Amino acid sequence: MQDFWWRTLGAFAPMALFSLLLWPVVGGRNVLILLIVWVVARLLTHLYNLRKLLRWLKNPELQSIPNGSGVWEDVYASLYQVLRQHSRSETQLTSALERLQKAASALPDGLVVLNDADQIEWCNHAAELQLGLDSAHDSGQPITYLVRQTDFVAYLSAHNFSEPLKMRSARNSEVLLELQLVPFGENQKLLNCRDITHLEKMETMRRDFIADVSHELRTPLTVVVGFLETLRDIQGAVPENLRHYFDLMEQQAGRMRRLVEDLLTLSQLESSHGLGQELVVDVPSMINGLLQEAHGLSSGKHHIAIGKLDAKLALYGNLEELSSAFINLISNAIRYTPEGGDIIIHWSLRNGEAVFAVEDTGLGIDAQHIPRLTERFYRVDRSRSRATGGTGLGLSIVKHILTRHQGKLEIVSELGKGSTFSAVFPAARVKVAMPGASHS
Ligand code: ADP
Protein backbone atom coordinates (compact mmCIF):
# COMPACT_ATOMS: atom_id res chain seq x y z
CA MET A 1 0.00 0.00 0.00
CA GLN A 2 2.94 2.26 0.80
CA ASP A 3 4.23 1.51 -2.69
CA PHE A 4 0.87 2.63 -4.11
CA TRP A 5 1.07 6.08 -2.45
CA TRP A 6 4.68 6.48 -3.49
CA ARG A 7 3.89 5.54 -7.11
CA THR A 8 0.81 7.82 -7.39
CA LEU A 9 1.80 10.86 -5.34
CA GLY A 10 5.61 10.56 -5.67
CA ALA A 11 5.50 12.22 -9.11
CA PHE A 12 4.14 15.45 -7.48
CA ALA A 13 7.38 16.13 -5.53
CA PRO A 14 9.74 16.72 -8.54
CA MET A 15 6.93 18.70 -10.25
CA ALA A 16 6.48 20.91 -7.16
CA LEU A 17 10.29 21.46 -6.92
CA PHE A 18 10.49 22.31 -10.63
CA SER A 19 7.59 24.81 -10.26
CA LEU A 20 9.31 26.52 -7.30
CA LEU A 21 12.52 26.92 -9.34
CA LEU A 22 10.57 28.31 -12.33
CA TRP A 23 8.50 30.72 -10.20
CA PRO A 24 11.06 33.61 -10.08
CA VAL A 25 11.88 33.09 -13.78
CA VAL A 26 8.41 32.86 -15.49
CA GLY A 27 6.19 34.25 -12.75
CA GLY A 28 3.46 32.66 -10.51
CA ARG A 29 0.68 32.77 -13.14
CA ASN A 30 2.63 30.79 -15.70
CA VAL A 31 3.72 28.25 -13.10
CA LEU A 32 0.06 27.77 -12.12
CA ILE A 33 -0.92 27.23 -15.78
CA LEU A 34 1.90 24.71 -16.15
CA LEU A 35 0.73 22.87 -13.04
CA ILE A 36 -2.89 22.73 -14.31
CA VAL A 37 -1.72 21.37 -17.68
CA TRP A 38 0.36 18.73 -15.90
CA VAL A 39 -2.55 17.64 -13.64
CA VAL A 40 -4.95 17.41 -16.59
CA ALA A 41 -2.39 15.33 -18.52
CA ARG A 42 -2.11 12.92 -15.56
CA LEU A 43 -5.89 12.71 -15.30
CA LEU A 44 -6.20 11.95 -19.01
CA THR A 45 -3.58 9.19 -18.70
CA HIS A 46 -5.58 7.57 -15.86
CA LEU A 47 -8.82 7.90 -17.81
CA TYR A 48 -7.18 6.29 -20.83
CA ASN A 49 -5.97 3.35 -18.70
CA LEU A 50 -9.35 3.00 -17.05
CA ARG A 51 -10.99 2.80 -20.48
CA LYS A 52 -8.45 0.15 -21.54
CA LEU A 53 -9.24 -1.85 -18.40
CA LEU A 54 -13.00 -1.60 -18.92
CA ARG A 55 -12.65 -2.74 -22.55
CA TRP A 56 -10.50 -5.66 -21.54
CA LEU A 57 -12.92 -6.68 -18.77
CA LYS A 58 -15.59 -7.29 -21.43
CA ASN A 59 -13.48 -10.21 -22.69
CA PRO A 60 -10.90 -10.92 -20.00
CA GLU A 61 -8.37 -13.16 -21.77
CA LEU A 62 -4.99 -13.86 -20.21
CA GLN A 63 -3.19 -13.24 -23.54
CA SER A 64 -4.77 -9.82 -24.16
CA ILE A 65 -4.15 -8.25 -20.78
CA PRO A 66 -3.16 -4.54 -21.41
CA ASN A 67 0.23 -3.00 -20.62
CA GLY A 68 0.54 0.10 -18.50
CA SER A 69 3.03 2.23 -16.67
CA GLY A 70 3.20 3.55 -13.15
CA VAL A 71 0.45 2.32 -10.87
CA TRP A 72 -1.33 0.76 -13.85
CA GLU A 73 1.57 -1.60 -14.33
CA ASP A 74 0.87 -2.94 -10.81
CA VAL A 75 -2.86 -3.21 -11.49
CA TYR A 76 -2.29 -5.24 -14.67
CA ALA A 77 0.39 -7.41 -13.05
CA SER A 78 -1.97 -8.29 -10.15
CA LEU A 79 -4.76 -9.02 -12.58
CA TYR A 80 -2.46 -11.27 -14.57
CA GLN A 81 -1.54 -13.25 -11.45
CA VAL A 82 -5.16 -13.69 -10.33
CA LEU A 83 -6.14 -14.82 -13.80
CA ARG A 84 -3.26 -17.31 -14.04
CA GLN A 85 -4.16 -18.80 -10.67
CA HIS A 86 -7.79 -19.03 -11.74
CA SER A 87 -6.95 -20.71 -15.03
CA ARG A 88 -4.62 -23.18 -13.27
CA SER A 89 -7.37 -24.27 -10.80
CA GLU A 90 -9.85 -24.43 -13.69
CA THR A 91 -7.56 -26.80 -15.58
CA GLN A 92 -7.09 -28.93 -12.47
CA LEU A 93 -10.85 -29.05 -11.87
CA THR A 94 -11.63 -29.93 -15.48
CA SER A 95 -9.12 -32.76 -15.50
CA ALA A 96 -10.48 -34.08 -12.14
CA LEU A 97 -14.00 -33.96 -13.58
CA GLU A 98 -12.87 -35.70 -16.75
CA ARG A 99 -11.18 -38.44 -14.74
CA LEU A 100 -14.34 -38.85 -12.64
CA GLN A 101 -16.50 -39.07 -15.76
CA LYS A 102 -14.10 -41.59 -17.33
CA ALA A 103 -14.22 -43.72 -14.17
CA ALA A 104 -18.05 -43.53 -14.05
CA SER A 105 -18.22 -44.38 -17.76
CA ALA A 106 -16.03 -47.43 -17.23
CA LEU A 107 -18.37 -48.82 -14.54
CA PRO A 108 -20.23 -51.96 -15.58
CA ASP A 109 -23.36 -50.59 -13.87
CA GLY A 110 -25.48 -48.03 -15.68
CA LEU A 111 -25.52 -44.56 -14.07
CA VAL A 112 -27.91 -41.71 -14.88
CA VAL A 113 -27.90 -38.35 -13.10
CA LEU A 114 -31.37 -36.80 -12.93
CA ASN A 115 -32.18 -33.22 -11.99
CA ASP A 116 -35.02 -32.06 -9.72
CA ALA A 117 -37.50 -32.39 -12.62
CA ASP A 118 -36.35 -35.99 -13.33
CA GLN A 119 -34.62 -34.87 -16.54
CA ILE A 120 -31.41 -36.55 -17.67
CA GLU A 121 -28.30 -34.53 -16.87
CA TRP A 122 -25.68 -37.14 -17.65
CA CYS A 123 -25.47 -40.89 -18.24
CA ASN A 124 -22.64 -43.37 -18.75
CA HIS A 125 -22.12 -45.87 -21.55
CA ALA A 126 -23.59 -48.82 -19.64
CA ALA A 127 -26.81 -46.86 -19.05
CA GLU A 128 -26.99 -46.08 -22.78
CA LEU A 129 -26.83 -49.79 -23.56
CA GLN A 130 -29.12 -51.00 -20.78
CA LEU A 131 -31.82 -48.34 -21.01
CA GLY A 132 -31.46 -47.37 -24.66
CA LEU A 133 -30.36 -43.79 -23.89
CA ASP A 134 -28.14 -41.53 -25.97
CA SER A 135 -26.09 -39.18 -23.81
CA ALA A 136 -25.53 -36.73 -26.69
CA HIS A 137 -29.18 -36.29 -27.61
CA ASP A 138 -31.16 -37.21 -24.52
CA SER A 139 -29.60 -34.74 -22.11
CA GLY A 140 -32.39 -32.52 -20.72
CA GLN A 141 -35.15 -35.03 -21.63
CA PRO A 142 -37.44 -36.34 -18.86
CA ILE A 143 -36.34 -39.91 -18.08
CA THR A 144 -39.93 -41.17 -18.32
CA TYR A 145 -40.02 -40.18 -22.04
CA LEU A 146 -37.25 -42.69 -22.67
CA VAL A 147 -37.78 -45.37 -20.01
CA ARG A 148 -41.51 -45.79 -20.36
CA GLN A 149 -42.20 -49.09 -18.55
CA THR A 150 -45.16 -48.58 -16.20
CA ASP A 151 -43.31 -50.22 -13.29
CA PHE A 152 -40.49 -47.69 -13.61
CA VAL A 153 -42.84 -44.71 -13.89
CA ALA A 154 -44.67 -45.89 -10.75
CA TYR A 155 -41.34 -46.47 -8.93
CA LEU A 156 -40.15 -42.97 -9.79
CA SER A 157 -43.36 -41.27 -8.73
CA ALA A 158 -43.77 -43.31 -5.51
CA HIS A 159 -40.69 -41.58 -4.00
CA ASN A 160 -39.91 -44.68 -1.96
CA PHE A 161 -36.49 -45.79 -3.09
CA SER A 162 -35.57 -48.07 -0.17
CA GLU A 163 -35.95 -51.18 -2.35
CA PRO A 164 -34.65 -51.61 -5.90
CA LEU A 165 -36.97 -52.28 -8.84
CA LYS A 166 -36.58 -55.35 -11.04
CA MET A 167 -37.79 -55.04 -14.61
CA ARG A 168 -37.22 -56.52 -18.05
CA SER A 169 -35.23 -54.42 -20.52
CA ALA A 170 -37.39 -52.76 -23.17
CA ARG A 171 -34.74 -53.56 -25.81
CA ASN A 172 -34.34 -57.24 -24.96
CA SER A 173 -36.93 -59.03 -22.86
CA GLU A 174 -34.35 -61.70 -21.89
CA VAL A 175 -32.38 -59.12 -19.94
CA LEU A 176 -33.45 -58.50 -16.35
CA LEU A 177 -32.45 -55.17 -14.86
CA GLU A 178 -32.32 -54.02 -11.25
CA LEU A 179 -32.83 -50.27 -10.88
CA GLN A 180 -32.14 -48.31 -7.72
CA LEU A 181 -32.73 -44.58 -7.34
CA VAL A 182 -30.53 -42.73 -4.87
CA PRO A 183 -31.51 -39.14 -3.96
CA PHE A 184 -28.61 -36.69 -3.54
CA GLY A 185 -27.90 -32.95 -3.49
CA GLU A 186 -30.93 -30.69 -3.90
CA ASN A 187 -33.68 -32.98 -5.20
CA GLN A 188 -31.32 -34.65 -7.65
CA LYS A 189 -31.27 -38.41 -8.15
CA LEU A 190 -28.76 -40.99 -9.24
CA LEU A 191 -30.23 -43.93 -11.12
CA ASN A 192 -28.13 -47.06 -10.75
CA CYS A 193 -28.95 -49.85 -13.18
CA ARG A 194 -27.55 -53.41 -12.98
CA ASP A 195 -27.94 -56.29 -15.37
CA ILE A 196 -28.94 -59.18 -13.08
CA THR A 197 -29.92 -61.68 -15.79
CA HIS A 198 -27.04 -63.94 -14.82
CA LEU A 199 -27.80 -63.73 -11.08
CA GLU A 200 -31.47 -64.45 -11.71
CA LYS A 201 -30.56 -67.49 -13.84
CA MET A 202 -28.29 -68.81 -11.07
CA GLU A 203 -31.03 -68.22 -8.49
CA THR A 204 -33.58 -70.06 -10.66
CA MET A 205 -31.11 -72.92 -11.14
CA ARG A 206 -30.55 -73.12 -7.38
CA ARG A 207 -34.29 -73.15 -6.71
CA ASP A 208 -34.93 -75.73 -9.43
CA PHE A 209 -32.10 -77.89 -8.16
CA ILE A 210 -33.46 -77.92 -4.59
CA ALA A 211 -36.97 -78.58 -5.87
CA ASP A 212 -35.76 -81.42 -8.14
CA VAL A 213 -33.62 -83.07 -5.47
CA SER A 214 -36.44 -82.82 -2.92
CA HIS A 215 -38.84 -84.26 -5.45
CA GLU A 216 -36.52 -87.14 -6.30
CA LEU A 217 -36.00 -87.92 -2.60
CA ARG A 218 -39.72 -87.93 -1.83
CA THR A 219 -40.59 -91.24 -3.53
CA PRO A 220 -37.81 -93.44 -2.05
CA LEU A 221 -38.44 -91.90 1.37
CA THR A 222 -42.15 -92.62 1.17
CA VAL A 223 -41.32 -96.27 0.41
CA VAL A 224 -38.82 -96.51 3.29
CA VAL A 225 -41.21 -94.87 5.78
CA GLY A 226 -44.06 -97.03 4.51
CA PHE A 227 -42.11 -100.28 5.02
CA LEU A 228 -40.91 -99.19 8.43
CA GLU A 229 -44.53 -98.53 9.45
CA THR A 230 -45.62 -101.91 8.08
CA LEU A 231 -42.82 -103.70 9.94
CA ARG A 232 -43.80 -101.93 13.17
CA ASP A 233 -47.38 -103.09 12.77
CA ILE A 234 -46.45 -106.77 12.18
CA GLN A 235 -46.26 -108.50 15.51
CA GLY A 236 -42.77 -109.89 16.16
CA ALA A 237 -41.30 -108.58 12.89
CA VAL A 238 -38.83 -106.45 14.83
CA PRO A 239 -36.86 -108.41 17.42
CA GLU A 240 -36.98 -106.82 20.86
CA ASN A 241 -33.16 -106.40 20.99
CA LEU A 242 -33.27 -104.38 17.74
CA ARG A 243 -36.31 -102.28 18.75
CA HIS A 244 -34.14 -99.29 19.81
CA TYR A 245 -32.36 -99.16 16.41
CA PHE A 246 -35.66 -99.58 14.66
CA ASP A 247 -37.19 -96.64 16.53
CA LEU A 248 -34.16 -94.49 15.62
CA MET A 249 -34.53 -95.46 11.95
CA GLU A 250 -38.19 -94.53 12.02
CA GLN A 251 -37.48 -91.22 13.75
CA GLN A 252 -34.74 -90.19 11.30
CA ALA A 253 -36.72 -91.31 8.24
CA GLY A 254 -39.65 -89.21 9.52
CA ARG A 255 -37.34 -86.24 9.99
CA MET A 256 -35.99 -86.57 6.47
CA ARG A 257 -39.49 -86.71 5.10
CA ARG A 258 -40.45 -83.52 6.95
CA LEU A 259 -37.27 -81.83 5.66
CA VAL A 260 -38.09 -82.78 2.09
CA GLU A 261 -41.67 -81.58 2.49
CA ASP A 262 -40.53 -78.25 3.97
CA LEU A 263 -37.92 -77.76 1.21
CA LEU A 264 -40.57 -78.43 -1.41
CA THR A 265 -42.98 -75.99 0.26
CA LEU A 266 -40.26 -73.32 0.37
CA SER A 267 -39.27 -73.73 -3.26
CA GLN A 268 -42.92 -73.65 -4.32
CA LEU A 269 -43.41 -70.41 -2.37
CA GLU A 270 -40.25 -68.92 -3.87
CA SER A 271 -40.98 -69.79 -7.46
CA SER A 272 -44.64 -68.75 -7.64
CA HIS A 273 -45.00 -64.98 -7.79
CA GLY A 274 -48.70 -64.38 -7.30
CA LEU A 275 -50.73 -65.64 -4.38
CA GLY A 276 -52.81 -67.97 -6.48
CA GLN A 277 -56.34 -68.44 -5.28
CA GLU A 278 -57.13 -65.42 -3.16
CA LEU A 279 -60.41 -65.56 -1.27
CA VAL A 280 -61.94 -64.27 1.91
CA VAL A 281 -60.54 -66.56 4.59
CA ASP A 282 -62.70 -67.02 7.67
CA VAL A 283 -59.79 -67.03 10.12
CA PRO A 284 -61.94 -67.56 13.30
CA SER A 285 -63.28 -70.89 11.95
CA MET A 286 -59.79 -71.81 10.78
CA ILE A 287 -58.48 -71.19 14.31
CA ASN A 288 -61.07 -73.60 15.75
CA GLY A 289 -59.75 -76.30 13.40
CA LEU A 290 -56.13 -75.44 14.26
CA LEU A 291 -56.96 -75.71 17.96
CA GLN A 292 -57.96 -79.37 17.49
CA GLU A 293 -54.73 -79.99 15.59
CA ALA A 294 -52.75 -78.27 18.38
CA HIS A 295 -54.31 -80.56 21.03
CA GLY A 296 -53.21 -83.53 18.90
CA LEU A 297 -49.62 -82.22 18.60
CA SER A 298 -49.37 -81.48 22.32
CA SER A 299 -50.93 -84.83 23.36
CA GLY A 300 -52.44 -83.09 26.39
CA LYS A 301 -49.07 -81.87 27.73
CA HIS A 302 -49.96 -78.16 27.54
CA HIS A 303 -52.89 -75.86 28.35
CA ILE A 304 -53.89 -74.57 24.96
CA ALA A 305 -56.60 -71.93 24.77
CA ILE A 306 -58.01 -69.18 22.60
CA GLY A 307 -57.52 -65.66 24.01
CA LYS A 308 -58.79 -62.61 22.11
CA LEU A 309 -60.84 -63.77 19.14
CA ASP A 310 -62.58 -61.30 16.85
CA ALA A 311 -65.26 -63.52 15.35
CA LYS A 312 -66.06 -61.02 12.57
CA LEU A 313 -62.51 -60.57 11.42
CA ALA A 314 -61.68 -62.21 8.09
CA LEU A 315 -58.75 -61.85 5.70
CA TYR A 316 -58.20 -61.73 1.93
CA GLY A 317 -55.61 -64.38 1.20
CA ASN A 318 -54.74 -67.96 0.42
CA LEU A 319 -56.42 -70.39 2.82
CA GLU A 320 -53.81 -73.16 2.57
CA GLU A 321 -50.82 -70.86 2.94
CA LEU A 322 -52.32 -69.02 5.92
CA SER A 323 -53.26 -72.29 7.60
CA SER A 324 -49.71 -73.62 7.06
CA ALA A 325 -48.14 -70.43 8.54
CA PHE A 326 -50.43 -70.43 11.58
CA ILE A 327 -49.94 -74.14 12.39
CA ASN A 328 -46.17 -73.62 12.09
CA LEU A 329 -46.31 -70.92 14.79
CA ILE A 330 -48.57 -73.07 17.00
CA SER A 331 -46.40 -76.17 16.58
CA ASN A 332 -43.28 -74.14 17.48
CA ALA A 333 -44.99 -72.88 20.66
CA ILE A 334 -45.83 -76.49 21.57
CA ARG A 335 -42.32 -77.79 20.80
CA TYR A 336 -40.50 -75.04 22.69
CA THR A 337 -42.79 -74.96 25.74
CA PRO A 338 -42.09 -77.51 28.48
CA GLU A 339 -44.88 -79.77 29.73
CA GLY A 340 -47.57 -77.97 31.73
CA GLY A 341 -46.92 -74.62 29.99
CA ASP A 342 -49.64 -72.34 28.57
CA ILE A 343 -50.23 -71.55 24.91
CA ILE A 344 -52.77 -68.89 23.95
CA ILE A 345 -53.92 -68.07 20.43
CA HIS A 346 -55.23 -64.57 19.58
CA TRP A 347 -56.89 -63.12 16.47
CA SER A 348 -57.77 -59.43 16.63
CA LEU A 349 -57.53 -55.98 15.08
CA ARG A 350 -54.74 -53.58 16.10
CA ASN A 351 -54.81 -50.08 14.61
CA GLY A 352 -56.58 -51.37 11.52
CA GLU A 353 -54.16 -54.29 11.03
CA ALA A 354 -55.16 -57.90 11.65
CA VAL A 355 -52.95 -59.81 14.08
CA PHE A 356 -52.69 -63.57 14.56
CA ALA A 357 -50.61 -64.14 17.70
CA VAL A 358 -49.38 -67.24 19.50
CA GLU A 359 -48.29 -66.59 23.06
CA ASP A 360 -46.43 -69.22 25.07
CA THR A 361 -44.82 -69.58 28.48
CA GLY A 362 -41.96 -71.60 27.02
CA LEU A 363 -38.18 -71.37 26.82
CA GLY A 364 -38.07 -67.87 25.33
CA ILE A 365 -35.31 -66.64 23.05
CA ASP A 366 -32.32 -64.44 23.79
CA ALA A 367 -32.60 -61.05 21.99
CA GLN A 368 -29.45 -61.63 19.89
CA HIS A 369 -31.09 -64.57 18.06
CA ILE A 370 -34.41 -62.91 17.23
CA PRO A 371 -33.37 -61.05 14.03
CA ARG A 372 -31.99 -64.30 12.53
CA LEU A 373 -34.81 -66.73 13.37
CA THR A 374 -36.40 -66.58 9.91
CA GLU A 375 -33.15 -67.57 8.16
CA ARG A 376 -33.15 -71.09 6.75
CA PHE A 377 -31.79 -73.70 9.17
CA TYR A 378 -31.15 -71.11 11.87
CA ARG A 379 -31.79 -72.66 15.25
CA VAL A 380 -31.13 -71.30 18.71
CA ASP A 381 -30.55 -74.78 20.08
CA ARG A 382 -29.82 -77.32 17.35
CA SER A 383 -30.24 -80.41 19.52
CA ARG A 384 -33.57 -79.22 20.95
CA SER A 385 -34.88 -78.43 17.48
CA ARG A 386 -33.93 -81.93 16.27
CA ALA A 387 -35.26 -83.63 19.40
CA THR A 388 -38.64 -81.98 18.86
CA GLY A 389 -38.71 -82.91 15.17
CA GLY A 390 -37.79 -79.46 13.83
CA THR A 391 -36.38 -78.90 10.36
CA GLY A 392 -35.11 -75.36 10.86
CA LEU A 393 -37.28 -74.19 7.96
CA GLY A 394 -40.58 -73.46 9.73
CA LEU A 395 -40.13 -69.75 10.32
CA SER A 396 -38.63 -69.23 6.82
CA ILE A 397 -41.84 -70.68 5.42
CA VAL A 398 -43.92 -68.45 7.72
CA LYS A 399 -41.98 -65.35 6.64
CA HIS A 400 -42.42 -66.18 2.95
CA ILE A 401 -46.14 -66.70 3.34
CA LEU A 402 -46.54 -63.46 5.28
CA THR A 403 -44.51 -61.50 2.72
CA ARG A 404 -46.75 -62.86 -0.04
CA HIS A 405 -49.67 -61.43 1.96
CA GLN A 406 -47.82 -58.09 2.50
CA GLY A 407 -47.68 -59.04 6.17
CA LYS A 408 -44.83 -59.24 8.66
CA LEU A 409 -43.72 -61.40 11.56
CA GLU A 410 -43.24 -59.76 14.96
CA ILE A 411 -41.39 -61.64 17.68
CA VAL A 412 -41.41 -60.63 21.34
CA SER A 413 -39.57 -62.98 23.64
CA GLU A 414 -37.84 -63.18 26.97
CA LEU A 415 -35.43 -65.94 27.83
CA GLY A 416 -36.94 -68.30 30.38
CA LYS A 417 -40.35 -66.57 30.35
CA GLY A 418 -41.88 -67.21 26.95
CA SER A 419 -42.53 -65.77 23.52
CA THR A 420 -45.23 -64.19 21.40
CA PHE A 421 -45.03 -64.70 17.64
CA SER A 422 -47.43 -62.39 15.77
CA ALA A 423 -48.37 -62.47 12.10
CA VAL A 424 -49.47 -58.93 11.23
CA PHE A 425 -51.53 -58.25 8.09
CA PRO A 426 -52.10 -54.82 6.52
CA ALA A 427 -55.49 -53.07 6.67
CA ALA A 428 -55.93 -53.59 2.90
CA ARG A 429 -56.24 -57.37 3.53
CA VAL A 430 -58.71 -57.04 6.38
CA LYS A 431 -62.36 -57.87 5.89
CA VAL A 432 -64.78 -57.42 8.71
CA ALA A 433 -67.28 -60.13 7.87
CA MET A 434 -70.96 -60.17 8.78
CA PRO A 435 -71.64 -62.45 11.74
CA GLY A 436 -72.32 -65.99 10.58
CA ALA A 437 -70.74 -65.54 7.10
CA SER A 438 -69.04 -68.76 6.08
CA HIS A 439 -65.48 -68.91 4.75
CA SER A 440 -64.77 -69.67 1.12
P1 ADP B 1 -37.30 -75.45 13.92
O1 ADP B 1 -37.77 -76.48 12.98
O2 ADP B 1 -35.91 -75.65 14.38
O3 ADP B 1 -38.27 -75.19 14.99
P2 ADP B 1 -38.08 -72.84 12.95
O4 ADP B 1 -37.68 -72.10 11.73
O5 ADP B 1 -39.52 -73.16 13.11
O6 ADP B 1 -37.19 -74.14 12.99
O7 ADP B 1 -37.61 -72.01 14.21
C1 ADP B 1 -36.29 -71.50 14.24
C2 ADP B 1 -35.78 -71.46 15.67
O8 ADP B 1 -36.53 -70.49 16.39
C3 ADP B 1 -36.02 -72.75 16.43
O9 ADP B 1 -34.96 -73.64 16.23
C4 ADP B 1 -36.11 -72.26 17.87
O10 ADP B 1 -34.82 -72.19 18.39
C5 ADP B 1 -36.67 -70.86 17.75
N1 ADP B 1 -38.13 -70.81 18.08
C6 ADP B 1 -39.15 -70.81 17.22
N2 ADP B 1 -40.33 -70.69 17.85
C7 ADP B 1 -40.04 -70.65 19.18
C8 ADP B 1 -40.82 -70.51 20.38
N3 ADP B 1 -42.16 -70.43 20.35
N4 ADP B 1 -40.16 -70.48 21.56
C9 ADP B 1 -38.81 -70.54 21.60
N5 ADP B 1 -38.02 -70.66 20.52
C10 ADP B 1 -38.62 -70.71 19.32
Side-chain angles (χ1 to χ4, degrees):
M1 207 33 100
Q2 237 176 359
D3 199 37
F4 171 79
W5 293 119
W6 175 245
R7 281 234 190 202
T8 48
L9 299 178
F12 281 96
M15 193 58 201
L17 196 68
F18 181 64
S19 307
L20 277 177
L21 287 174
L22 269 185
W23 195 297
V25 185
V26 296
R29 197 162 155 264
N30 287 337
V31 168
L32 208 68
I33 293 170
L34 184 73
L35 270 176
I36 291 171
V37 170
W38 182 80
V39 169
V40 170
R42 300 271 318 168
L43 192 72
L44 283 174
T45 319
H46 283 306
L47 281 174
Y48 170 70
N49 275 300
L50 199 66
R51 187 170 151 264
K52 255 199 325 189
L53 179 65
L54 284 173
R55 276 179 130 188
W56 176 79
L57 280 174
K58 284 192 180 145
N59 187 19
E61 296 280 340
L62 196 65
Q63 299 82 358
S64 59
I65 204 154
N67 288 319
S69 58
V71 75
W72 287 101
E73 193 183 340
D74 293 350
V75 170
Y76 294 137
S78 306
L79 266 173
Y80 181 79
Q81 268 173 14
V82 170
L83 229 72
R84 278 235 15 211
Q85 181 64 36
H86 183 76
S87 116
R88 226 177 279 143
S89 15
E90 202 177 78
T91 317
Q92 277 171 359
L93 242 141
T94 316
S95 80
L97 202 76
E98 268 172 16
R99 265 182 288 141
L100 209 79
Q101 280 201 349
K102 269 190 194 152
S105 295
L107 276 176
D109 286 2
L111 287 181
V112 186
V113 177
L114 302 175
N115 66 12
D116 55 354
D118 293 333
Q119 290 161 335
I120 299 170
E121 279 193 351
W122 177 86
C123 70
N124 69 355
H125 186 56
E128 289 185 315
L129 295 178
Q130 289 166 349
L131 300 170
L133 304 177
D134 179 343
S135 59
H137 295 106
D138 297 339
S139 178
Q141 296 276 352
I143 182 88
T144 43
Y145 282 11
L146 302 150
V147 185
R148 290 162 172 263
Q149 282 102 314
T150 38
D151 282 357
F152 177 74
V153 177
Y155 178 61
L156 188 67
S157 51
H159 293 281
N160 176 11
F161 310 129
S162 52
E163 291 289 322
L165 166 78
K166 281 186 192 168
M167 68 174 201
R168 296 259 156 221
S169 160
R171 304 179 113 201
N172 178 357
S173 60
E174 301 231 318
V175 173
L176 186 69
L177 300 172
E178 187 180 76
L179 286 91
Q180 172 87 62
L181 274 161
V182 187
F184 76 99
E186 281 176 22
N187 287 328
Q188 283 176 287
K189 293 181 198 87
L190 185 72
L191 175 64
N192 182 18
C193 180
R194 281 174 70 208
D195 183 344
I196 55 160
T197 319
H198 187 61
L199 276 177
E200 184 71 7
K201 266 193 190 138
M202 299 272 289
E203 182 60 19
T204 313
M205 266 167 65
R206 181 194 65 79
R207 269 203 308 262
D208 290 352
F209 177 73
I210 294 178
D212 291 346
V213 170
S214 314
H215 221 85
E216 290 300 320
L217 282 173
R218 190 146 75 165
T219 320
L221 264 171
T222 311
V223 175
V224 171
V225 172
F227 278 123
L228 285 172
E229 274 170 7
T230 316
L231 277 175
R232 189 189 352 105
D233 293 344
I234 300 173
Q235 195 99 53
V238 183
E240 228 20 68
N241 56 343
L242 296 180
R243 170 66 60 187
H244 173 66
Y245 301 110
F246 184 84
D247 288 348
L248 270 180
M249 274 164 65
E250 230 188 344
Q251 228 178 55
Q252 293 306 316
R255 221 188 113 222
M256 267 179 86
R257 200 163 64 161
R258 280 193 299 280
L259 244 169
V260 166
E261 293 302 331
D262 277 2
L263 279 171
L264 272 171
T265 309
L266 251 184
S267 59
Q268 265 159 20
L269 287 171
E270 279 179 340
S271 51
S272 66
H273 292 296
L275 251 184
Q277 229 198 357
E278 235 181 294
L279 297 163
V280 177
V281 179
D282 182 355
V283 180
S285 333
M286 184 201 275
I287 289 176
N288 285 326
L290 295 179
L291 188 66
Q292 304 311 315
E293 215 172 312
H295 283 305
L297 288 171
S298 155
S299 319
K301 291 181 189 141
H302 306 90
H303 309 289
I304 307 175
I306 292 181
K308 275 184 273 174
L309 184 83
D310 191 333
K312 292 182 206 159
L313 188 57
L315 205 63
Y316 289 102
N318 181 299
L319 179 83
E320 268 161 37
E321 288 187 15
L322 289 173
S323 159
S324 153
F326 294 169
I327 197 65
N328 249 307
L329 295 180
I330 295 172
S331 114
N332 274 355
I334 293 169
R335 289 188 296 118
Y336 298 106
T337 300
E339 249 186 272
D342 297 322
I343 291 158
I344 309 170
I345 302 164
H346 305 276
W347 173 241
S348 58
L349 264 182
R350 187 187 70 187
N351 302 327
E353 296 177 321
V355 183
F356 173 86
V358 183
E359 191 185 334
D360 67 53
T361 55
L363 306 174
I365 308 152
D366 198 57
Q368 55 164 324
H369 297 292
I370 293 179
R372 299 196 56 191
L373 289 184
T374 53
E375 286 174 24
R376 286 160 202 221
F377 299 115
Y378 188 86
R379 288 117 153 175
V380 177
D381 180 347
R382 210 159 258 275
S383 53
R384 173 145 194 118
S385 162
R386 286 206 182 120
T388 57
T391 60
L393 294 171
L395 290 181
S396 297
I397 294 176
V398 172
K399 191 188 165 190
H400 258 89
I401 294 175
L402 295 187
T403 308
R404 282 157 69 81
H405 287 80
Q406 296 77 45
K408 56 181 189 258
L409 181 66
E410 285 179 4
I411 305 168
V412 180
S413 188
E414 203 178 328
L415 201 59
K417 293 211 166 156
S419 320
T420 302
F421 282 71
S422 308
V424 184
F425 299 92
R429 289 216 162 260
V430 171
K431 173 154 169 69
V432 180
M434 296 307 290
S438 63
H439 79 262
S440 342

